[in-house]
Amino acid sequence: MDTNKWNEEAETWSENPDLQMKEEDAQMDFELRRASLEDAAVPDADEAFEQFKAERLGKPERRALGVRLWAVAAVAACLALAVFLPWNRWLSPSSPVAEVSSAINIPGTVVYEAPAPMGDIALTVGDKTINLHSNDARKQGFSVSQDQMIQFLSPENVSPEDRTTLTIPQGKTAKLQLPDGTKVWLSACSRLIFPQKFLEHAPREVRLIGEAYFEVAHDEARPFIVHSGKVSTTVLGTQFNIRSFEGEQPRITLVSGSVRVSNSTNVGARREVTLVPGQQAVLGANNSLLVEEADVEGVLSWKNGAFYFEGQTLREILTEIGRWYNLNVIFITNQHLDDSLHYNADRSWKIQQVVSQLNNICETHIKIENNSLVVDE
């Protein structure tokens, strides 16, 4: 595989924030399921929060929270009302995405600018974009199983230099199985680039822009390498999450097994670390790799259909929400940019409900204006 060519293409993609795609005129179908709060009895907040964690995040107990615990009651009561909503969002035909205007005409600090909306999951083989459910896709080795897994089998007579790109739009997620058996869950506004064929006696290499969870099929002779931004993650067979959006420092979280994370951008910095389950590697401000303890269930909340924030800043929370709903994020003043919150929500909620619950726990006010989330106090 031509690594230089691969890197040149990646630099071109990275200049385009959050995967602004060619299909700029595509219209998004954003019929949403309504989680109604009208005429509903308010459940016990503590019980609702525990049920949320058990249902969505898989653990009944958590460590003590060091951030605004008073916020939990306000949010958890509402979470319980939506606890039985359908959760199959993989390749879902609708997504909670608004169409954004091409220009931002609201004064203030723009912390996130939404790209042009996409119509659906995009499959690009070489230079050609094809419909995932078409005969062309099947000829290229793609099919969609009954459980909505995108399956890819390398067609015959293809070169490892031929690459395929799977791009996930705002408000959607998808899961993919590669020919070697590796499974990849892709978050919204993410892109996975992989060769049409893995070589027999060479590493299996893919490139990620955005966020994905990997379950790598074990192959002692062929390590699996994920290139994401300035970081490469090497495994033989394990489970881990990578978050590497434009403008954010890459973050690799290990769920099981072992991974080696390397960085070659700064000769004087720490260039390689090995993680054990429950740890994450973060590329620091000086391009040095840092190892931290990870809140694994929080990291994987996107995969389970939830927003889960534990002590993140209002800037980070609204950026994630803006990315999912395809809305700009603007702070009229910078006073509350770094306020930290504990907040949980269902990704199937309408944006109005998400904003309403945030306003219940914030020291500022958030409104929806001109396809933007505006913090105006």
Side-chain angles (χ1 to χ4, degrees):
M1 184 173 297
D2 188 339
T3 304
N4 291 331
K5 181 178 179 182
W6 185 288
N7 290 331
E8 288 173 3
E9 293 181 6
E11 290 175 2
T12 300
W13 293 322
S14 67
E15 293 171 359
N16 193 356
D18 278 339
L19 309 174
Q20 184 167 342
M21 300 301 296
K22 296 177 182 178
E23 301 176 16
E24 295 182 358
D25 297 326
Q27 299 294 319
M28 295 297 295
D29 173 13
F30 60 100
E31 288 296 326
L32 300 177
R33 293 164 293 187
R34 184 183 299 274
S36 176
L37 298 179
E38 297 179 0
D39 301 323
V42 177
D44 179 80
D46 292 335
E47 180 181 349
F49 186 49
E50 292 303 321
Q51 183 177 4
F52 168 81
K53 291 186 295 185
E55 295 279 347
R56 302 292 185 256
L57 303 179
K59 286 188 177 182
E61 298 181 356
R62 293 187 51 80
R63 57 185 172 82
L65 304 177
V67 294
R68 304 184 182 181
L69 294 178
W70 54 266
V72 175
V75 179
C78 297
L79 284 172
L81 301 176
V83 79
F84 296 112
L85 286 175
W87 278 86
N88 184 8
R89 191 173 291 104
W90 307 110
L91 281 175
S92 58
S94 61
S95 57
V97 175
E99 183 177 350
V100 300
S101 59
S102 58
I104 299 176
N105 54 15
I106 301 173
T109 301
V110 179
V111 301
Y112 178 75
E113 184 172 355
M118 292 175 56
D120 206 343
I121 294 172
L123 175 63
T124 304
V125 180
D127 297 327
K128 182 181 179 182
T129 299
I130 58 180
N131 187 316
L132 184 60
H133 300 276
S134 67
N135 287 330
D136 285 343
R138 285 187 284 273
K139 290 177 182 178
Q140 294 292 337
F142 288 89
S143 63
V144 180
S145 65
Q146 289 186 346
D147 64 350
Q148 300 302 300
M149 171 80 76
I150 303 170
Q151 297 177 318
F152 172 58
L153 297 176
S154 296
E156 298 180 359
N157 302 319
V158 296
S159 168
E161 294 296 326
D162 297 332
R163 283 189 281 280
T164 297
T165 303
L166 190 67
T167 305
I168 314 305
Q170 306 90 341
K172 290 189 178 182
T173 52
K175 52 184 178 179
L176 166 71
Q177 181 169 317
L178 296 171
D180 66 335
T182 293
K183 296 179 181 178
V184 186
W185 284 253
L186 286 158
S187 184
C189 292
S190 298
R191 177 182 288 188
L192 185 72
I193 305 99
F194 51 96
Q196 283 280 75
K197 181 180 181 180
F198 288 130
L199 293 174
E200 290 292 333
H201 303 289
R204 300 164 287 170
E205 296 184 75
V206 301
R207 183 171 292 278
L208 170 70
I209 301 171
E211 185 166 19
Y213 176 79
F214 293 83
E215 289 186 359
V216 177
H218 185 85
D219 189 334
E220 195 77 30
R222 298 188 301 169
F224 194 93
I225 303 175
V226 183
H227 303 282
S228 52
K230 300 175 182 178
V231 169
S232 295
T233 303
T234 303
V235 304
L236 295 178
T238 188
Q239 300 177 30
F240 59 99
N241 192 85
I242 296 181
R243 182 182 176 92
S244 183
F245 285 106
E246 178 70 17
E248 298 182 9
Q249 297 290 56
R251 187 178 297 268
I252 296 88
T253 305
L254 182 61
V255 177
S256 67
S258 177
V259 302
R260 185 175 69 249
V261 183
S262 59
N263 162 40
S264 59
T265 61
N266 190 334
V267 175
R270 190 178 186 184
R271 299 179 61 187
E272 184 174 291
V273 296
T274 299
L275 301 181
V276 299
Q279 289 184 335
Q280 63 184 6
V282 182
L283 191 63
N286 62 349
N287 286 328
S288 178
L289 285 170
L290 309 175
V291 177
E292 304 172 349
E293 292 300 311
D295 177 5
V296 174
E297 62 192 76
V299 169
L300 299 183
S301 62
W302 71 267
K303 182 173 174 285
N304 297 316
F307 290 113
Y308 188 93
F309 303 106
E310 185 179 326
Q312 281 92 335
T313 65
L314 186 59
R315 177 210 298 260
E316 293 170 326
I317 292 170
L318 290 182
T319 295
E320 184 70 9
I321 292 171
R323 179 178 288 121
W324 179 255
Y325 291 96
N326 207 46
L327 297 170
N328 308 308
V329 178
I330 304 168
F331 281 71
I332 300 301
T333 71
N334 295 338
Q335 180 180 357
H336 296 284
L337 273 172
D338 297 321
D339 287 1
S340 62
L341 298 172
H342 179 97
Y343 177 68
N344 311 303
D346 189 317
R347 285 179 183 254
S348 69
W349 283 2
K350 276 184 173 289
I351 183 58
Q352 290 85 357
Q353 184 177 353
V354 173
V355 170
S356 175
Q357 297 309 312
L358 271 174
N359 280 329
N360 285 338
I361 65 174
C362 286
E363 294 181 0
T364 184
H365 180 260
I366 304 163
K367 63 182 179 181
I368 305 169
E369 179 182 334
N370 193 25
N371 298 305
S372 301
L373 297 174
V374 181
V375 182
D376 60 1
E377 293 178 7

